[in-house]
Amino acid sequence: MSTFARFLFGRRARRRWIHLILGGALAMPYVLVGSVVVGPATGSTDVFGSLTLQLASFALGLPLAALTSLFPLTRPLEVAAVRSLCGVDGDRLADGLARSRSAKGRTAAWFTLHLGFGGIIAGMSLAVPPFAVVLMVLPIFAGLRDGLPEALDHTWALALAPVAGAAMLVALAACAAASGALLAHWAPALLGPTPEDRLAAAEARAADLAVRNRLARELHDSVGHALSAVTLQASAARRVLDTDPDFVREALAAIEDTTRRTVTELDAVLGVLRNGDSTVPAPTLAADLDDLLRRTRATGLRIRDVIDVAPETLPPVVSREAYRIVQEGLSNALKHAADKQVTLHIKTAGEHLDITLENPLRDPGEAPRRGAGNCATSHNEPADDQRPGGHHGRHGITDRAHLLGGTAHAGPTEDTWRLHVRLPRKGPT
């Protein structure tokens, strides 16, 4: 019994009743337009004095409502009302304007049903309660019996009048609850996402994921490289603190320069996170390669660079991604290169830009080296393939190359580790 009472008078039923009343209010302009047509057609001057003519005006106004609901803005307004009042899970409803033909057709069907059910329930809500109240108080107020049918003058009719009035109110609540439940049941089918909406949502999620991956790559490449360089510089300075103070001063200066530049790059990435854009320019091969090589050499890594291309002639996107690729390659060499040496070769090959980094592989039996120029990590340190969170750098290089339509290959060749990346000089294909 309590479940039935909640179905008729519970919070959800009351909110759905309000939703139906709103539908009735929206239907009134269309009913008035329908009455303008019905009145002259039937020769009647009082359309609202006849229930039949009222229903005819209502029936004529619903097609007009369906026609006006084809405007794209109708669906978001109806979806907002359904989410607030009908108790429908918001994930089952579509977001955004109705642009496709199928979405507009289903929205028109929903709008017609909303106004149809709402008009009927709103009309009943206006007419039934006053009449039901009169029936319920009829035995008490004899003056209300004037003008009523003679059958109501009987004692048994007067005794049953309050029961009939209460039953009418319950019937009204049942009609409203049933209509609201039907509309809530049909809402996901008529206001739910179309295949086009699902595709648009998937594309939006993919775009958001791409942005997040790009930011993750930027953070990994800039901050990861800086931390590797700073760690090696600090380690080297600590080992020669008492014997080579000049080197310690150079190492501290390099650490200061590296951290200052990394903070600037970090601000650029965080600016994208906060505002979707950044006023701090990203580093490029043309503007920042020399500084990158200088700062990396300060760690003790010997770099032999052969640059057979004018970086300023490259498109900005290629120059930016090429810089990050070189930065990550040098960062890996800092951690794993034997004899602390690496060869960097950047050249053009037809319509492509080739980036090659090679460094000797470490002998598995080699003992850890010491000294300012040989502060590499121990040969027992796990490689990127073995340590937790590894592969990020290599995957980042591969992703950057693929986004531009290029290729990336990395792996051992005899006694060296070789990274080769080929990018289209004209940018993304």
Side-chain angles (χ1 to χ4, degrees):
M1 190 64 181
S2 61
T3 302
F4 182 69
R6 283 197 302 271
F7 175 74
L8 295 183
F9 306 107
R11 182 174 180 270
R12 176 176 293 180
R14 296 195 302 271
R15 294 172 71 90
R16 289 176 176 175
W17 202 333
I18 294 174
H19 182 251
L20 290 166
I21 297 299
L22 289 177
L26 291 173
M28 284 304 299
Y30 301 102
V31 174
L32 293 175
V33 173
S35 67
V36 172
V37 177
V38 170
T42 58
S44 174
T45 59
D46 187 13
V47 173
F48 294 100
S50 169
L51 179 61
T52 301
L53 295 181
Q54 290 181 42
L55 294 176
S57 301
F58 182 64
L60 187 62
L62 287 180
L64 297 177
L67 184 63
T68 58
S69 69
L70 296 178
F71 291 102
L73 194 59
T74 302
R75 186 174 71 171
L77 294 176
E78 285 293 315
V79 166
V82 170
R83 281 177 172 161
S84 300
L85 300 175
C86 289
V88 178
D89 186 3
D91 293 337
R92 302 176 63 191
L93 303 175
D95 292 313
L97 304 179
R99 300 189 183 278
S100 66
R101 183 175 301 178
S102 61
K104 291 181 179 180
R106 293 195 296 171
T107 302
W110 165 263
F111 194 66
T112 304
L113 287 172
H114 182 200
L115 268 61
F117 279 92
I120 294 172
I121 297 301
M124 293 174 61
S125 299
L126 289 174
V128 171
F131 186 64
V133 170
V134 170
L135 289 179
M136 294 172 70
V137 301
L138 193 61
I140 302 174
F141 300 98
L144 295 176
R145 304 170 195 170
D146 296 338
L148 294 178
E150 296 182 359
L152 293 178
D153 289 335
H154 297 292
T155 303
W156 61 269
L158 292 175
L160 292 177
V163 178
M168 292 176 66
L169 293 177
V170 173
L172 173 61
C175 291
S179 299
L182 281 175
L183 287 180
H185 177 72
W186 290 330
L190 297 178
L191 295 178
T194 62
E196 293 84 358
D197 295 325
R198 294 189 179 94
L199 179 60
E203 290 176 346
R205 287 193 297 269
D208 179 67
L209 183 60
V211 171
R212 292 172 58 187
N213 287 338
R214 180 173 66 85
L215 294 176
R217 285 196 304 270
E218 294 291 327
L219 286 173
H220 176 273
D221 291 352
S222 61
V223 178
H225 174 80
L227 290 177
S228 297
V230 167
T231 299
L232 292 172
Q233 289 163 343
S235 176
R238 176 179 58 82
R239 292 174 180 176
V240 298
L241 181 61
D242 298 327
T243 60
D244 194 349
D246 291 336
F247 177 82
V248 173
R249 280 192 292 269
E250 292 177 3
L252 291 176
I255 290 173
E256 180 184 5
D257 182 58
T258 300
T259 53
R260 182 184 297 112
R261 184 176 184 85
T262 303
V263 168
T264 302
E265 294 184 14
L266 184 60
D267 286 340
V269 176
L270 294 180
V272 175
L273 280 174
R274 295 190 190 102
N275 308 317
D277 196 4
S278 174
T279 58
V280 181
T284 62
L285 205 65
D288 303 279
L289 177 61
D290 292 340
D291 189 54
L292 173 65
L293 296 178
R294 179 185 60 80
R295 288 184 286 112
T296 307
R297 287 188 174 108
T299 66
L301 184 68
R302 299 190 299 275
I303 304 175
R304 177 177 176 269
D305 60 286
V306 181
I307 313 299
D308 293 334
V309 63
E312 60 273 8
T313 63
L314 298 174
V317 63
V318 176
S319 184
R320 183 177 66 245
E321 298 303 321
Y323 174 89
R324 290 303 191 191
I325 289 170
V326 172
Q327 183 184 52
E328 180 57 32
L330 293 177
S331 180
N332 287 336
L334 278 172
K335 292 180 285 187
H336 306 300
D339 298 326
K340 297 290 288 178
Q341 61 181 349
V342 63
T343 299
L344 169 65
H345 194 183
I346 304 177
K347 66 178 182 177
T348 57
E351 296 299 320
H352 295 88
L353 176 71
D354 282 356
I355 302 173
T356 305
L357 287 98
E358 292 182 319
N359 59 265
L361 290 174
R362 188 176 306 166
D363 187 352
E366 180 184 356
R369 294 175 298 279
R370 299 182 182 274
N374 294 303
C375 54
T377 54
S378 168
H379 70 280
N380 293 322
E381 177 184 335
D384 279 348
D385 297 359
Q386 300 168 328
R387 61 188 173 87
H391 292 297
H392 290 309
R394 196 184 308 173
H395 287 172
I397 291 175
T398 303
D399 290 343
R400 291 180 187 278
H402 287 173
L403 286 174
L404 294 180
T407 58
H409 303 282
T413 58
E414 297 181 357
D415 59 346
T416 63
W417 180 271
R418 186 172 188 267
L419 168 67
H420 178 71
V421 179
R422 169 165 286 188
L423 306 177
R425 290 192 62 185
K426 295 182 179 179
T429 57

